[in-house]
DNA sequence: CATGAATGAGGCTTCATTCAT
DNA sequence: AATGAATGAAGCCTCATTCAT
């Protein structure tokens, strides 16, 4: 489904790939739609648990945005992100009665957002937890959005400069963060002055 | 097709929507794939000519990245960008013998890249044409990538803060440009110093 | 369908019998259900027109109940009444969303009732049109009910004495009619006496 | 099966209704046809034993045709006669290799015929056992046939006047019986005369 | 350029049945 | 006696496509 879309993936194609006859598939899943739901649930689950495992290792390593992006860059377009294609494909396909799929997609997306948020927070931690938190809030969607763009761009043109772009993204977030720090400190300054 | 993908859009569905019998469709197009090709060609054409018309009006208005983004933001997700959904959907769908579609998509994408390049160039023109050109080269893919991400994000969650994100994008590009200017000038300076 | 019921009649069985591929059948009819509707409509139409044609010939012949039954007896269970099996079978099968079928069945049944009514009326015409009409009203459902029973009985045991039973039916109706005449005349008589 | 016919009743539908998995059904019955056979056997058994029980009570009550019909009228179309629908449905369905079903149906039908015979005999007992027996022989099939018609009619139009029709049936049988008595007595008379 | 009809392949799903546990 | 799983055939229907008019 991640390759051909929902309609383009026939049950018989699945039987060819998994060996079981179609009727056996229907013993395990109620529907083609039900199969899709199960696939998405499992993909999300697997992705999440993998990142949880990573996080423990990361405890010793680089937990900033830069480190995260450096780890993510080579994976985009590679097998571990095939799952992303399924998500985006299904998000773009407007099938008829299918709010459940979009729901799952949103759930997974929120999980990604949290991960990004933590990385940004870590990056700006030295500026104080309050500011770091605010910057993380402001910029996490920005990073996620760019990441999705990266994926799509890589699908269209596999030869894009993934490392260059992720480096630019890091720079951009650093700059956005700094600007936010300045404006907040100047606000604080003016607030102090006003308070005086 | 922009709604259901290639496989999900049946000839008979088109028949239902356009009133003509299927055989008439086959008089106009060689086959389903040919119809898709024609649709993409026409959509690209229309999109291009619209932007050409826009460019003339823009001659008097704001031609910088900021102006461009301000104009583009409300259109994302609206009818004029349905065409974008078709493009991205087809780019993600990995159909069997279909390099032609990807070719068209890439062509259109390059056109968009040029537009973005010009806007960035205009934004940094005051820094000199050479630097502006170099910045435009560096940042245009960044902007396009983010734009594609914006589109996808908007499909998943129509309630995202489109204006906030485009403003962040503008800030990010300005920052990236400034840094590039500084490094090039310091490079130039150090070059001069070294040269001395 | 008249032989195997609705569910027992597969589309592919029909294709085997008619030569056309299933997809062609689906060009002509929307559904399996739609096909059934068309079949019933046509069968009813044909049956009706045949009886209309018969009626004109009958104008010269025996139009009483006895004549009618004599003509009908040998046809029960034979090809011209295969159509009846379809009707009764579908009336007994309680399929899910299918009121239309029952509707058609009732329409056809009403037509049969009219025919029977006329024959009874003709039989008792000599007793005056008012009484003949009243007897026809009272006894037509009786005759139709018995007719349906005859059909079912013949399906279960093809060897039943069809002629004997139809003769009994005729006798029964004659008796029922006579009794009704007596009671109405005695009523009239008592009414007269009372009136005096 | 009484509702949807043999083909229209799937094993999995039975599974849904009875809770047991299909494989358990196949432990109890050899196959679908075997299940049908068992169902019919049991339904016939139950129906018979119910009538046996009734007969004992009836010993004190009205054992004539009128009494029987009065008891039967309200039951037609109600749960106790669902079994009748199964019988008639299967009698009309012409399945391939299935003489056994028809056999059972005929057996049950003969039992019903006996019951009717007794009731008619009781009704005419006062005319002498010989005549009563002959009338019962002649009229029982007539009554059974009409009963089957009543059932079918009630399926098509649940609003028919069941009581009116059963009363007409009683009258009809009384009339048929009387006529038979007269003809036999006149025959006897003429025989005597002729013999003289 | 339009249209009604046809067609074979294949779509999703359910069928009756079996088997190992 | 029950159950989860499997299986090939067949169910209804839609697919893309073609053809004669």
């Amino acid at each position: 489904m991640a390759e051909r879309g929902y309609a383009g993936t026939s049950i018989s194609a699945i039987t060819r790939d998994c060996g079981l006859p179609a009727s056996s598939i229907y013993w395990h899943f109620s529907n083609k739609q039900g199969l899709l739901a199960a696939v998405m649930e499992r993909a999300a689950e697997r992705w999440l648990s993998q990142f949880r495992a990573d996080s423990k290792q990361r405890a010793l390593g680089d937990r900033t945005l830069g480190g995260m992006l450096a780890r993510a860059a080579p994976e985009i377009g590679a097998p571990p992100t095939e799952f992303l294609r399924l998500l985006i494909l299904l998000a773009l396909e407007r099938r008829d009665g299918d709010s459940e799929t979009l729901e799952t997609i949103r759930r997974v997306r929120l999980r990604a957002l949290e991960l990004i948020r933590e990385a940004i927070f870590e990056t700006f931690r030295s500026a104080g937890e309050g500011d770091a938190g605010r910057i993380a809030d402001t910029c996490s969607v920005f990073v996620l959005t760019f990441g999705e763009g990266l994926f799509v761009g890589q699908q269209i043109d596999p030869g894009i400069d993934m490392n260059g772009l992720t480096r630019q993204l890091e720079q951009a977030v650093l700059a956005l963060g700094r600007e936010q720090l300045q404006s907040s400190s100047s606000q604080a300054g003016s607030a102090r002055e006003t308070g005086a």
Side-chain angles (χ1 to χ4, degrees), chain A:
Chain A
M1 282 179 181
E3 283 178 354
R4 311 214 183 307
Y6 181 78
T9 307
S10 70
I11 293 286
S12 47
I14 296 174
T15 70
R16 265 195 299 278
D17 283 9
C18 77
L20 285 182
S23 41
S24 292
I25 294 180
Y26 275 86
W27 193 91
H28 290 279
F29 307 96
S30 54
N31 255 350
K32 194 184 172 186
Q33 174 71 30
L35 177 86
L36 169 61
V39 164
M40 297 207 48
E41 211 63 53
R42 169 179 301 202
E45 183 71 33
R46 185 180 300 176
W47 181 77
L48 182 65
S49 66
Q50 185 208 312
F51 258 100
R52 259 199 292 253
D54 269 19
S55 295
K56 288 184 184 162
Q57 295 189 323
R58 247 189 314 163
L60 315 165
D62 184 356
R63 301 169 61 188
T64 65
L65 184 62
M68 183 190 188
L69 291 176
R71 276 208 324 281
E75 280 195 356
I76 291 181
T81 49
E82 285 248 306
F83 143 69
L84 246 185
R85 188 163 342 111
L86 177 60
L87 245 62
I88 298 185
L89 209 47
L90 289 172
L92 297 199
E93 279 183 6
R94 289 275 173 264
R95 231 147 50 268
D96 281 329
D98 185 23
S99 51
E100 198 193 346
T101 303
L102 212 52
E103 212 75 3
T104 305
I105 293 173
R106 286 202 191 109
R107 239 171 33 234
V108 175
R109 202 173 184 257
L110 280 181
R111 206 97 68 188
L113 210 55
E114 258 171 69
L115 249 61
I116 293 172
R117 230 200 73 98
E118 285 173 32
I120 300 179
F121 182 83
E122 216 61 43
T123 308
F124 286 94
R125 159 161 289 178
S126 57
E129 296 215 341
D131 281 326
R134 252 163 280 141
I135 293 174
D137 285 341
T138 322
C139 293
S140 53
V141 177
F142 184 87
V143 171
L144 179 58
T145 300
F146 191 83
E148 284 161 349
L150 263 180
F151 183 81
V152 170
Q154 203 271 346
Q155 296 299 118
I156 297 176
D157 177 8
I160 56 167
D161 178 12
M162 196 64 74
N163 290 321
L165 284 166
T166 50
R167 239 178 294 123
Q168 281 183 300
L169 175 59
E170 193 190 355
Q171 279 183 47
V173 172
L174 291 177
L176 287 174
R178 269 198 301 272
E179 274 178 47
Q180 196 168 336
L181 281 176
Q182 283 172 12
S183 74
S184 80
S185 75
S186 71
Q187 234 181 8
S190 63
R192 228 179 297 140
E193 283 166 22
T194 316

